[in-house]
Amino acid sequence: GESVGLHLPTLSVQEGDNSIINCAYSNSASDYFIWYKQESGKGPQFIIDIRSNMDKRQGQRVTVLLNKTVKHLSLQIAATQPGDSAVYFCALPTPNSGYALNFGKGTSLLVTP
Amino acid sequence: GAGVSQSPRYKVAKRGQDVALRCDPISGHVSLFWYQQALGQGPEFLTYFQNEAQLDKSGLPSDRFFAERPEGSVSTLKIQRTQQEDSAVYLCASSLPAADTQYFGPGTRLTVL
């Protein structure tokens, strides 16, 4: 089956620094990728997505980079703020299951003042 | 507008009891998904509805798990004869069509004693 994994389970950064969260995937046919943020006691919240015909997409303070050659994507958060502290998941929709999302284990981001 | 809501937010059950978890999706959303999230893990797909039709239930861990969406809006996930391994957060998500962005509810935390 599809394997979605993250390189680091935890990441601690200082407020104001940039954060980079990585994700590897195994299915080279995957064509759509999503990043979700999950705060404690809440459901996952959509952050940004990217399709396989792009290698970079920018949002507000966030950038997603996609490297299809090595099957890797990353989420970059600029000027990290305490409110960014959460668990971040990359997720891949599975078309043969109604586009149900296949999540990785997640990276816990802790922003220290 | 209102997001996805779930009730109850917390449920404690004794082993062997039956439980029913409710999901109210965003109005007009055709697709509805249930996920199970164990502590420290990413959400895992359980089942998927398109309107009232349950199109995929491949993720349900056993025949003790049953989901329904009889009128194509509210959905209920029922777990019979609960076991300790059923303890998890149960997340519901909805989307317009299945391939669109999924919006998650806050989840129901089930603890089986």
Side-chain angles (χ1 to χ4, degrees):
Chain A
E2 177 59 60
S3 172
V4 182
L6 288 97
H7 294 308
L8 294 173
T10 60
L11 177 64
S12 182
V13 299
Q14 283 200 314
E15 182 178 358
D17 287 352
N18 297 333
S19 303
I20 300 176
I21 299 170
N22 297 304
C23 178
Y25 62 96
S26 60
N27 186 352
S28 56
S30 297
D31 62 359
Y32 182 45
F33 309 85
I34 311 165
W35 282 99
Y36 278 87
K37 170 186 180 183
Q38 188 174 26
E39 296 175 273
S40 181
K42 298 184 178 180
Q45 176 187 4
F46 172 88
I47 303 173
I48 192 168
D49 58 5
I50 189 168
R51 296 200 177 270
S52 59
N53 61 351
M54 304 171 68
D55 52 23
K56 180 179 180 179
R57 190 169 187 210
Q58 289 185 294
Q60 186 178 10
R61 285 200 305 117
V62 294
T63 300
V64 56
L65 299 178
L66 175 63
N67 186 329
K68 296 180 288 293
T69 302
V70 295
K71 290 181 283 189
H72 179 274
L73 67 158
S74 66
L75 177 70
Q76 300 178 359
I77 305 173
T80 314
Q81 302 170 359
D84 295 327
S85 293
V87 178
Y88 290 81
F89 296 97
C90 64
L92 279 64
T94 52
N96 60 354
S97 292
Y99 296 92
L101 297 173
N102 185 14
F103 285 84
K105 286 189 171 61
T107 292
S108 178
L109 176 66
L110 177 63
V111 182
T112 57
Chain B
V4 178
S5 61
Q6 293 186 244
S7 61
R9 290 294 317 277
Y10 303 92
K11 177 69 179 177
V12 178
K14 292 183 179 178
R15 190 162 58 97
Q17 283 185 332
D18 298 348
V19 298
L21 313 180
R22 177 186 169 107
C23 172
D24 284 78
I26 294 172
S27 178
H29 277 196
V30 168
S31 300
L32 185 145
F33 303 81
W34 284 98
Y35 296 84
Q36 179 190 59
Q37 186 173 25
L39 189 64
Q41 304 291 317
E44 293 194 352
F45 169 73
L46 293 177
T47 187
Y48 154 62
F49 291 85
Q50 183 172 304
N51 296 307
E52 69 278 3
Q54 188 175 21
L55 298 185
D56 189 341
K57 53 182 181 179
S58 62
L60 296 177
S62 77
D63 58 7
R64 295 185 296 103
F65 286 70
F66 172 76
E68 59 183 5
R69 194 185 185 198
E71 297 180 357
S73 59
V74 171
S75 177
T76 304
L77 177 66
K78 298 179 179 178
I79 309 174
Q80 298 177 324
R81 304 181 302 282
T82 52
Q83 303 294 316
Q84 283 189 321
E85 62 263 29
D86 300 334
S87 295
V89 174
Y90 290 86
L91 293 163
C92 174
S94 71
S95 64
L96 269 169
D100 204 354
T101 303
Q102 292 183 30
Y103 296 90
F104 283 80
T108 294
R109 180 177 295 279
L110 172 65
T111 303
V112 182
L113 303 177

PDB file of all heavy atoms in Angstrom, chain A residues 32 36 38 41-44 46 89 96-101 103-105, chain B residues 9 33 35 37 41-43 45 48 56 91 98-99 101-102 104-106:
ATOM      1  N   TYR A  32      -1.474  14.603  -6.213  1.00  0.00           N
ATOM      2  CA  TYR A  32      -2.042  15.680  -5.416  1.00  0.00           C
ATOM      3  C   TYR A  32      -1.592  15.483  -3.990  1.00  0.00           C
ATOM      4  O   TYR A  32      -1.677  14.368  -3.456  1.00  0.00           O
ATOM      5  CB  TYR A  32      -3.558  15.646  -5.543  1.00  0.00           C
ATOM      6  CG  TYR A  32      -4.308  16.730  -4.810  1.00  0.00           C
ATOM      7  CD1 TYR A  32      -3.901  18.057  -4.853  1.00  0.00           C
ATOM      8  CD2 TYR A  32      -5.449  16.418  -4.077  1.00  0.00           C
ATOM      9  CE1 TYR A  32      -4.600  19.040  -4.187  1.00  0.00           C
ATOM     10  CE2 TYR A  32      -6.159  17.400  -3.406  1.00  0.00           C
ATOM     11  CZ  TYR A  32      -5.731  18.716  -3.463  1.00  0.00           C
ATOM     12  OH  TYR A  32      -6.425  19.690  -2.804  1.00  0.00           O
ATOM     13  N   TYR A  36      -1.782  19.408   6.274  1.00  0.00           N
ATOM     14  CA  TYR A  36      -2.755  19.740   7.307  1.00  0.00           C
ATOM     15  C   TYR A  36      -2.020  20.090   8.603  1.00  0.00           C
ATOM     16  O   TYR A  36      -0.952  19.544   8.894  1.00  0.00           O
ATOM     17  CB  TYR A  36      -3.687  18.554   7.600  1.00  0.00           C
ATOM     18  CG  TYR A  36      -4.841  18.387   6.637  1.00  0.00           C
ATOM     19  CD1 TYR A  36      -4.694  17.653   5.464  1.00  0.00           C
ATOM     20  CD2 TYR A  36      -6.083  18.953   6.907  1.00  0.00           C
ATOM     21  CE1 TYR A  36      -5.753  17.493   4.587  1.00  0.00           C
ATOM     22  CE2 TYR A  36      -7.153  18.797   6.033  1.00  0.00           C
ATOM     23  CZ  TYR A  36      -6.970  18.063   4.875  1.00  0.00           C
ATOM     24  OH  TYR A  36      -8.030  17.908   4.007  1.00  0.00           O
ATOM     25  N   GLN A  38      -2.697  20.224  12.786  1.00  0.00           N
ATOM     26  CA  GLN A  38      -3.612  19.772  13.833  1.00  0.00           C
ATOM     27  C   GLN A  38      -3.158  20.288  15.180  1.00  0.00           C
ATOM     28  O   GLN A  38      -2.108  19.878  15.682  1.00  0.00           O
ATOM     29  CB  GLN A  38      -3.729  18.243  13.853  1.00  0.00           C
ATOM     30  CG  GLN A  38      -4.810  17.749  14.805  1.00  0.00           C
ATOM     31  CD  GLN A  38      -5.036  16.247  14.721  1.00  0.00           C
ATOM     32  OE1 GLN A  38      -4.151  15.493  14.352  1.00  0.00           O
ATOM     33  NE2 GLN A  38      -6.250  15.804  15.053  1.00  0.00           N
ATOM     34  N   GLY A  41      -6.411  18.807  20.527  1.00  0.00           N
ATOM     35  CA  GLY A  41      -7.847  18.766  20.773  1.00  0.00           C
ATOM     36  C   GLY A  41      -8.708  19.198  19.610  1.00  0.00           C
ATOM     37  O   GLY A  41      -9.930  19.329  19.754  1.00  0.00           O
ATOM     38  N   LYS A  42      -8.095  19.398  18.446  1.00  0.00           N
ATOM     39  CA  LYS A  42      -8.852  19.827  17.274  1.00  0.00           C
ATOM     40  C   LYS A  42      -8.648  18.866  16.119  1.00  0.00           C
ATOM     41  O   LYS A  42      -7.734  18.039  16.130  1.00  0.00           O
ATOM     42  CB  LYS A  42      -8.426  21.232  16.854  1.00  0.00           C
ATOM     43  CG  LYS A  42      -8.690  22.310  17.903  1.00  0.00           C
ATOM     44  CD  LYS A  42      -8.320  23.685  17.373  1.00  0.00           C
ATOM     45  CE  LYS A  42      -8.623  24.756  18.406  1.00  0.00           C
ATOM     46  NZ  LYS A  42      -8.258  26.119  17.902  1.00  0.00           N
ATOM     47  N   GLY A  43      -9.498  18.979  15.120  1.00  0.00           N
ATOM     48  CA  GLY A  43      -9.324  18.189  13.922  1.00  0.00           C
ATOM     49  C   GLY A  43      -8.293  18.823  13.010  1.00  0.00           C
ATOM     50  O   GLY A  43      -7.929  19.990  13.164  1.00  0.00           O
ATOM     51  N   PRO A  44      -7.775  18.061  12.049  1.00  0.00           N
ATOM     52  CA  PRO A  44      -6.820  18.614  11.086  1.00  0.00           C
ATOM     53  C   PRO A  44      -7.423  19.789  10.316  1.00  0.00           C
ATOM     54  O   PRO A  44      -8.595  19.758   9.940  1.00  0.00           O
ATOM     55  CB  PRO A  44      -6.522  17.437  10.165  1.00  0.00           C
ATOM     56  CG  PRO A  44      -6.838  16.219  10.972  1.00  0.00           C
ATOM     57  CD  PRO A  44      -8.004  16.624  11.831  1.00  0.00           C
ATOM     58  N   PHE A  46      -6.823  22.263   6.948  1.00  0.00           N
ATOM     59  CA  PHE A  46      -6.140  22.415   5.666  1.00  0.00           C
ATOM     60  C   PHE A  46      -5.229  23.645   5.690  1.00  0.00           C
ATOM     61  O   PHE A  46      -5.622  24.719   6.146  1.00  0.00           O
ATOM     62  CB  PHE A  46      -7.181  22.564   4.563  1.00  0.00           C
ATOM     63  CG  PHE A  46      -6.623  22.913   3.217  1.00  0.00           C
ATOM     64  CD1 PHE A  46      -6.228  21.912   2.356  1.00  0.00           C
ATOM     65  CD2 PHE A  46      -6.511  24.233   2.809  1.00  0.00           C
ATOM     66  CE1 PHE A  46      -5.723  22.221   1.094  1.00  0.00           C
ATOM     67  CE2 PHE A  46      -6.003  24.554   1.572  1.00  0.00           C
ATOM     68  CZ  PHE A  46      -5.607  23.555   0.708  1.00  0.00           C
ATOM     69  N   PHE A  89       0.815  17.291   9.199  1.00  0.00           N
ATOM     70  CA  PHE A  89       0.723  16.058   8.429  1.00  0.00           C
ATOM     71  C   PHE A  89       0.751  16.367   6.946  1.00  0.00           C
ATOM     72  O   PHE A  89       0.082  17.303   6.493  1.00  0.00           O
ATOM     73  CB  PHE A  89      -0.595  15.335   8.705  1.00  0.00           C
ATOM     74  CG  PHE A  89      -0.786  14.851  10.108  1.00  0.00           C
ATOM     75  CD1 PHE A  89      -1.514  15.591  11.029  1.00  0.00           C
ATOM     76  CD2 PHE A  89      -0.257  13.637  10.506  1.00  0.00           C
ATOM     77  CE1 PHE A  89      -1.704  15.137  12.325  1.00  0.00           C
ATOM     78  CE2 PHE A  89      -0.445  13.165  11.798  1.00  0.00           C
ATOM     79  CZ  PHE A  89      -1.175  13.924  12.706  1.00  0.00           C
ATOM     80  N   ASN A  96      -8.839   5.533  -5.483  1.00  0.00           N
ATOM     81  CA  ASN A  96      -9.634   4.309  -5.498  1.00  0.00           C
ATOM     82  C   ASN A  96     -10.381   4.070  -4.193  1.00  0.00           C
ATOM     83  O   ASN A  96     -11.024   3.044  -4.020  1.00  0.00           O
ATOM     84  CB  ASN A  96      -8.758   3.097  -5.853  1.00  0.00           C
ATOM     85  CG  ASN A  96      -7.636   2.898  -4.853  1.00  0.00           C
ATOM     86  OD1 ASN A  96      -7.443   3.710  -3.962  1.00  0.00           O
ATOM     87  ND2 ASN A  96      -6.891   1.820  -5.006  1.00  0.00           N
ATOM     88  N   SER A  97     -10.281   5.019  -3.264  1.00  0.00           N
ATOM     89  CA  SER A  97     -11.065   4.968  -2.025  1.00  0.00           C
ATOM     90  C   SER A  97     -11.824   6.266  -1.850  1.00  0.00           C
ATOM     91  O   SER A  97     -11.908   6.808  -0.742  1.00  0.00           O
ATOM     92  CB  SER A  97     -10.171   4.717  -0.808  1.00  0.00           C
ATOM     93  OG  SER A  97      -9.613   3.437  -0.827  1.00  0.00           O
ATOM     94  N   GLY A  98     -12.364   6.782  -2.933  1.00  0.00           N
ATOM     95  CA  GLY A  98     -13.141   7.999  -2.852  1.00  0.00           C
ATOM     96  C   GLY A  98     -12.326   9.214  -2.455  1.00  0.00           C
ATOM     97  O   GLY A  98     -12.873  10.178  -1.932  1.00  0.00           O
ATOM     98  N   TYR A  99     -11.031   9.169  -2.707  1.00  0.00           N
ATOM     99  CA  TYR A  99     -10.127  10.255  -2.337  1.00  0.00           C
ATOM    100  C   TYR A  99      -9.966  10.372  -0.831  1.00  0.00           C
ATOM    101  O   TYR A  99      -9.658  11.447  -0.307  1.00  0.00           O
ATOM    102  CB  TYR A  99     -10.561  11.596  -2.955  1.00  0.00           C
ATOM    103  CG  TYR A  99     -10.494  11.576  -4.457  1.00  0.00           C
ATOM    104  CD1 TYR A  99     -11.598  11.225  -5.216  1.00  0.00           C
ATOM    105  CD2 TYR A  99      -9.304  11.867  -5.107  1.00  0.00           C
ATOM    106  CE1 TYR A  99     -11.523  11.155  -6.598  1.00  0.00           C
ATOM    107  CE2 TYR A  99      -9.222  11.816  -6.491  1.00  0.00           C
ATOM    108  CZ  TYR A  99     -10.338  11.461  -7.228  1.00  0.00           C
ATOM    109  OH  TYR A  99     -10.258  11.404  -8.589  1.00  0.00           O
ATOM    110  N   ALA A 100     -10.136   9.255  -0.129  1.00  0.00           N
ATOM    111  CA  ALA A 100      -9.803   9.229   1.291  1.00  0.00           C
ATOM    112  C   ALA A 100      -8.332   9.591   1.447  1.00  0.00           C
ATOM    113  O   ALA A 100      -7.502   9.256   0.607  1.00  0.00           O
ATOM    114  CB  ALA A 100     -10.077   7.848   1.867  1.00  0.00           C
ATOM    115  N   LEU A 101      -8.013  10.268   2.522  1.00  0.00           N
ATOM    116  CA  LEU A 101      -6.657  10.759   2.707  1.00  0.00           C
ATOM    117  C   LEU A 101      -5.785   9.729   3.408  1.00  0.00           C
ATOM    118  O   LEU A 101      -6.188   9.124   4.407  1.00  0.00           O
ATOM    119  CB  LEU A 101      -6.683  12.055   3.517  1.00  0.00           C
ATOM    120  CG  LEU A 101      -7.407  13.219   2.846  1.00  0.00           C
ATOM    121  CD1 LEU A 101      -7.534  14.398   3.803  1.00  0.00           C
ATOM    122  CD2 LEU A 101      -6.683  13.647   1.579  1.00  0.00           C
ATOM    123  N   PHE A 103      -2.592   9.638   5.535  1.00  0.00           N
ATOM    124  CA  PHE A 103      -1.773  10.557   6.324  1.00  0.00           C
ATOM    125  C   PHE A 103      -0.480   9.887   6.757  1.00  0.00           C
ATOM    126  O   PHE A 103      -0.439   8.686   7.015  1.00  0.00           O
ATOM    127  CB  PHE A 103      -2.508  10.964   7.608  1.00  0.00           C
ATOM    128  CG  PHE A 103      -3.622  11.940   7.424  1.00  0.00           C
ATOM    129  CD1 PHE A 103      -4.889  11.513   7.072  1.00  0.00           C
ATOM    130  CD2 PHE A 103      -3.419  13.291   7.658  1.00  0.00           C
ATOM    131  CE1 PHE A 103      -5.933  12.421   6.925  1.00  0.00           C
ATOM    132  CE2 PHE A 103      -4.458  14.210   7.524  1.00  0.00           C
ATOM    133  CZ  PHE A 103      -5.712  13.772   7.153  1.00  0.00           C
ATOM    134  N   GLY A 104       0.541  10.704   6.895  1.00  0.00           N
ATOM    135  CA  GLY A 104       1.745  10.269   7.568  1.00  0.00           C
ATOM    136  C   GLY A 104       1.569  10.358   9.075  1.00  0.00           C
ATOM    137  O   GLY A 104       0.503  10.749   9.570  1.00  0.00           O
ATOM    138  N   LYS A 105       2.622  10.030   9.824  1.00  0.00           N
ATOM    139  CA  LYS A 105       2.529  10.046  11.281  1.00  0.00           C
ATOM    140  C   LYS A 105       2.505  11.446  11.850  1.00  0.00           C
ATOM    141  O   LYS A 105       2.008  11.670  12.934  1.00  0.00           O
ATOM    142  CB  LYS A 105       3.694   9.259  11.894  1.00  0.00           C
ATOM    143  CG  LYS A 105       3.561   7.759  11.758  1.00  0.00           C
ATOM    144  CD  LYS A 105       4.615   7.042  12.579  1.00  0.00           C
ATOM    145  CE  LYS A 105       4.372   5.548  12.635  1.00  0.00           C
ATOM    146  NZ  LYS A 105       4.418   4.923  11.309  1.00  0.00           N
TER     147      LYS A 105
ATOM    148  N   ARG B   9     -18.133  15.091  22.248  1.00  0.00           N
ATOM    149  CA  ARG B   9     -16.711  15.374  22.090  1.00  0.00           C
ATOM    150  C   ARG B   9     -15.874  14.340  22.832  1.00  0.00           C
ATOM    151  O   ARG B   9     -14.763  14.016  22.421  1.00  0.00           O
ATOM    152  CB  ARG B   9     -16.392  16.772  22.614  1.00  0.00           C
ATOM    153  CG  ARG B   9     -16.945  17.905  21.773  1.00  0.00           C
ATOM    154  CD  ARG B   9     -16.273  17.956  20.386  1.00  0.00           C
ATOM    155  NE  ARG B   9     -14.842  17.768  20.429  1.00  0.00           N
ATOM    156  CZ  ARG B   9     -13.960  18.714  20.686  1.00  0.00           C
ATOM    157  NH1 ARG B   9     -14.365  19.936  20.951  1.00  0.00           N
ATOM    158  NH2 ARG B   9     -12.664  18.450  20.693  1.00  0.00           N
ATOM    159  N   PHE B  33     -16.425  11.360   5.259  1.00  0.00           N
ATOM    160  CA  PHE B  33     -15.402  10.374   5.595  1.00  0.00           C
ATOM    161  C   PHE B  33     -15.306  10.223   7.113  1.00  0.00           C
ATOM    162  O   PHE B  33     -15.428  11.204   7.847  1.00  0.00           O
ATOM    163  CB  PHE B  33     -14.024  10.816   5.090  1.00  0.00           C
ATOM    164  CG  PHE B  33     -13.947  11.077   3.617  1.00  0.00           C
ATOM    165  CD1 PHE B  33     -14.387  12.281   3.082  1.00  0.00           C
ATOM    166  CD2 PHE B  33     -13.422  10.122   2.755  1.00  0.00           C
ATOM    167  CE1 PHE B  33     -14.308  12.535   1.719  1.00  0.00           C
ATOM    168  CE2 PHE B  33     -13.338  10.364   1.390  1.00  0.00           C
ATOM    169  CZ  PHE B  33     -13.777  11.569   0.880  1.00  0.00           C
ATOM    170  N   TYR B  35     -12.512   8.788  10.009  1.00  0.00           N
ATOM    171  CA  TYR B  35     -11.132   8.389  10.258  1.00  0.00           C
ATOM    172  C   TYR B  35     -10.976   8.046  11.739  1.00  0.00           C
ATOM    173  O   TYR B  35     -11.690   8.577  12.595  1.00  0.00           O
ATOM    174  CB  TYR B  35     -10.154   9.523   9.928  1.00  0.00           C
ATOM    175  CG  TYR B  35     -10.095   9.940   8.483  1.00  0.00           C
ATOM    176  CD1 TYR B  35     -11.007  10.858   7.959  1.00  0.00           C
ATOM    177  CD2 TYR B  35      -9.125   9.426   7.630  1.00  0.00           C
ATOM    178  CE1 TYR B  35     -10.959  11.245   6.632  1.00  0.00           C
ATOM    179  CE2 TYR B  35      -9.059   9.815   6.296  1.00  0.00           C
ATOM    180  CZ  TYR B  35      -9.974  10.727   5.806  1.00  0.00           C
ATOM    181  OH  TYR B  35      -9.910  11.109   4.484  1.00  0.00           O
ATOM    182  N   GLN B  37      -8.011   8.029  14.735  1.00  0.00           N
ATOM    183  CA  GLN B  37      -6.676   8.532  15.037  1.00  0.00           C
ATOM    184  C   GLN B  37      -6.231   8.031  16.407  1.00  0.00           C
ATOM    185  O   GLN B  37      -6.742   8.465  17.438  1.00  0.00           O
ATOM    186  CB  GLN B  37      -6.637  10.060  14.994  1.00  0.00           C
ATOM    187  CG  GLN B  37      -5.234  10.630  15.156  1.00  0.00           C
ATOM    188  CD  GLN B  37      -5.182  12.137  14.955  1.00  0.00           C
ATOM    189  OE1 GLN B  37      -6.163  12.842  15.133  1.00  0.00           O
ATOM    190  NE2 GLN B  37      -4.012  12.632  14.567  1.00  0.00           N
ATOM    191  N   GLN B  41      -0.463   9.261  16.354  1.00  0.00           N
ATOM    192  CA  GLN B  41      -0.467   8.777  14.973  1.00  0.00           C
ATOM    193  C   GLN B  41      -1.282   9.697  14.079  1.00  0.00           C
ATOM    194  O   GLN B  41      -2.030  10.553  14.553  1.00  0.00           O
ATOM    195  CB  GLN B  41      -1.064   7.359  14.904  1.00  0.00           C
ATOM    196  CG  GLN B  41      -0.372   6.345  15.783  1.00  0.00           C
ATOM    197  CD  GLN B  41       1.013   6.021  15.313  1.00  0.00           C
ATOM    198  OE1 GLN B  41       1.258   5.849  14.128  1.00  0.00           O
ATOM    199  NE2 GLN B  41       1.958   5.939  16.247  1.00  0.00           N
ATOM    200  N   GLY B  42      -1.134   9.494  12.797  1.00  0.00           N
ATOM    201  CA  GLY B  42      -1.974  10.213  11.853  1.00  0.00           C
ATOM    202  C   GLY B  42      -3.337   9.550  11.730  1.00  0.00           C
ATOM    203  O   GLY B  42      -3.496   8.374  12.068  1.00  0.00           O
ATOM    204  N   PRO B  43      -4.328  10.281  11.262  1.00  0.00           N
ATOM    205  CA  PRO B  43      -5.660   9.679  11.058  1.00  0.00           C
ATOM    206  C   PRO B  43      -5.588   8.544  10.042  1.00  0.00           C
ATOM    207  O   PRO B  43      -4.829   8.616   9.075  1.00  0.00           O
ATOM    208  CB  PRO B  43      -6.491  10.843  10.524  1.00  0.00           C
ATOM    209  CG  PRO B  43      -5.776  12.077  10.966  1.00  0.00           C
ATOM    210  CD  PRO B  43      -4.326  11.722  10.950  1.00  0.00           C
ATOM    211  N   PHE B  45      -8.076   6.062   7.562  1.00  0.00           N
ATOM    212  CA  PHE B  45      -9.379   5.983   6.910  1.00  0.00           C
ATOM    213  C   PHE B  45     -10.193   4.794   7.421  1.00  0.00           C
ATOM    214  O   PHE B  45      -9.683   3.682   7.566  1.00  0.00           O
ATOM    215  CB  PHE B  45      -9.162   5.856   5.402  1.00  0.00           C
ATOM    216  CG  PHE B  45     -10.396   5.494   4.620  1.00  0.00           C
ATOM    217  CD1 PHE B  45     -11.410   6.422   4.416  1.00  0.00           C
ATOM    218  CD2 PHE B  45     -10.543   4.227   4.088  1.00  0.00           C
ATOM    219  CE1 PHE B  45     -12.538   6.097   3.696  1.00  0.00           C
ATOM    220  CE2 PHE B  45     -11.669   3.886   3.361  1.00  0.00           C
ATOM    221  CZ  PHE B  45     -12.667   4.826   3.163  1.00  0.00           C
ATOM    222  N   TYR B  48     -16.292   5.747   3.777  1.00  0.00           N
ATOM    223  CA  TYR B  48     -16.593   6.899   2.939  1.00  0.00           C
ATOM    224  C   TYR B  48     -18.014   6.789   2.393  1.00  0.00           C
ATOM    225  O   TYR B  48     -18.455   5.710   1.966  1.00  0.00           O
ATOM    226  CB  TYR B  48     -15.567   6.934   1.800  1.00  0.00           C
ATOM    227  CG  TYR B  48     -15.998   7.617   0.532  1.00  0.00           C
ATOM    228  CD1 TYR B  48     -16.335   8.966   0.526  1.00  0.00           C
ATOM    229  CD2 TYR B  48     -16.037   6.927  -0.677  1.00  0.00           C
ATOM    230  CE1 TYR B  48     -16.717   9.599  -0.643  1.00  0.00           C
ATOM    231  CE2 TYR B  48     -16.421   7.556  -1.852  1.00  0.00           C
ATOM    232  CZ  TYR B  48     -16.752   8.887  -1.831  1.00  0.00           C
ATOM    233  OH  TYR B  48     -17.122   9.513  -2.983  1.00  0.00           O
ATOM    234  N   ASP B  56     -17.266   2.881   0.320  1.00  0.00           N
ATOM    235  CA  ASP B  56     -16.029   2.191   0.706  1.00  0.00           C
ATOM    236  C   ASP B  56     -16.044   2.041   2.220  1.00  0.00           C
ATOM    237  O   ASP B  56     -16.136   3.044   2.923  1.00  0.00           O
ATOM    238  CB  ASP B  56     -14.800   2.983   0.243  1.00  0.00           C
ATOM    239  CG  ASP B  56     -13.489   2.224   0.418  1.00  0.00           C
ATOM    240  OD1 ASP B  56     -13.459   1.261   1.213  1.00  0.00           O
ATOM    241  OD2 ASP B  56     -12.505   2.599  -0.228  1.00  0.00           O
ATOM    242  N   LEU B  91     -12.555  10.930  13.859  1.00  0.00           N
ATOM    243  CA  LEU B  91     -12.694  12.174  13.115  1.00  0.00           C
ATOM    244  C   LEU B  91     -13.641  11.983  11.946  1.00  0.00           C
ATOM    245  O   LEU B  91     -13.617  10.955  11.280  1.00  0.00           O
ATOM    246  CB  LEU B  91     -11.330  12.620  12.571  1.00  0.00           C
ATOM    247  CG  LEU B  91     -10.281  13.035  13.606  1.00  0.00           C
ATOM    248  CD1 LEU B  91      -8.892  13.033  12.982  1.00  0.00           C
ATOM    249  CD2 LEU B  91     -10.598  14.407  14.172  1.00  0.00           C
ATOM    250  N   ALA B  98     -15.911  14.347  -3.764  1.00  0.00           N
ATOM    251  CA  ALA B  98     -14.908  13.594  -3.011  1.00  0.00           C
ATOM    252  C   ALA B  98     -13.502  14.119  -3.229  1.00  0.00           C
ATOM    253  O   ALA B  98     -12.683  14.073  -2.333  1.00  0.00           O
ATOM    254  CB  ALA B  98     -14.978  12.117  -3.394  1.00  0.00           C
ATOM    255  N   ALA B  99     -13.231  14.637  -4.408  1.00  0.00           N
ATOM    256  CA  ALA B  99     -11.871  15.049  -4.718  1.00  0.00           C
ATOM    257  C   ALA B  99     -11.541  16.440  -4.207  1.00  0.00           C
ATOM    258  O   ALA B  99     -10.422  16.901  -4.369  1.00  0.00           O
ATOM    259  CB  ALA B  99     -11.658  14.998  -6.230  1.00  0.00           C
ATOM    260  N   THR B 101     -11.310  19.576  -1.218  1.00  0.00           N
ATOM    261  CA  THR B 101     -10.700  19.696   0.107  1.00  0.00           C
ATOM    262  C   THR B 101     -11.626  19.123   1.171  1.00  0.00           C
ATOM    263  O   THR B 101     -12.826  19.403   1.190  1.00  0.00           O
ATOM    264  CB  THR B 101     -10.426  21.170   0.429  1.00  0.00           C
ATOM    265  OG1 THR B 101      -9.591  21.714  -0.580  1.00  0.00           O
ATOM    266  CG2 THR B 101      -9.764  21.312   1.798  1.00  0.00           C
ATOM    267  N   GLN B 102     -11.064  18.314   2.067  1.00  0.00           N
ATOM    268  CA  GLN B 102     -11.830  17.754   3.165  1.00  0.00           C
ATOM    269  C   GLN B 102     -11.704  18.659   4.387  1.00  0.00           C
ATOM    270  O   GLN B 102     -10.599  19.063   4.759  1.00  0.00           O
ATOM    271  CB  GLN B 102     -11.325  16.351   3.500  1.00  0.00           C
ATOM    272  CG  GLN B 102     -11.612  15.342   2.388  1.00  0.00           C
ATOM    273  CD  GLN B 102     -11.192  13.947   2.743  1.00  0.00           C
ATOM    274  OE1 GLN B 102     -11.190  13.542   3.912  1.00  0.00           O
ATOM    275  NE2 GLN B 102     -10.830  13.184   1.733  1.00  0.00           N
ATOM    276  N   PHE B 104     -12.448  18.931   8.413  1.00  0.00           N
ATOM    277  CA  PHE B 104     -12.578  18.013   9.531  1.00  0.00           C
ATOM    278  C   PHE B 104     -13.350  18.621  10.690  1.00  0.00           C
ATOM    279  O   PHE B 104     -13.260  19.827  10.956  1.00  0.00           O
ATOM    280  CB  PHE B 104     -11.193  17.599  10.045  1.00  0.00           C
ATOM    281  CG  PHE B 104     -10.514  16.581   9.173  1.00  0.00           C
ATOM    282  CD1 PHE B 104      -9.872  16.950   8.009  1.00  0.00           C
ATOM    283  CD2 PHE B 104     -10.544  15.233   9.523  1.00  0.00           C
ATOM    284  CE1 PHE B 104      -9.250  16.008   7.210  1.00  0.00           C
ATOM    285  CE2 PHE B 104      -9.929  14.288   8.726  1.00  0.00           C
ATOM    286  CZ  PHE B 104      -9.282  14.669   7.574  1.00  0.00           C
ATOM    287  N   GLY B 105     -14.061  17.755  11.400  1.00  0.00           N
ATOM    288  CA  GLY B 105     -14.647  18.132  12.668  1.00  0.00           C
ATOM    289  C   GLY B 105     -13.623  18.026  13.778  1.00  0.00           C
ATOM    290  O   GLY B 105     -12.489  17.599  13.546  1.00  0.00           O
ATOM    291  N   PRO B 106     -14.005  18.377  15.015  1.00  0.00           N
ATOM    292  CA  PRO B 106     -13.063  18.359  16.137  1.00  0.00           C
ATOM    293  C   PRO B 106     -12.765  16.960  16.652  1.00  0.00           C
ATOM    294  O   PRO B 106     -11.813  16.767  17.402  1.00  0.00           O
ATOM    295  CB  PRO B 106     -13.780  19.180  17.203  1.00  0.00           C
ATOM    296  CG  PRO B 106     -15.232  18.995  16.890  1.00  0.00           C
ATOM    297  CD  PRO B 106     -15.314  18.895  15.392  1.00  0.00           C
TER     298      PRO B 106
END
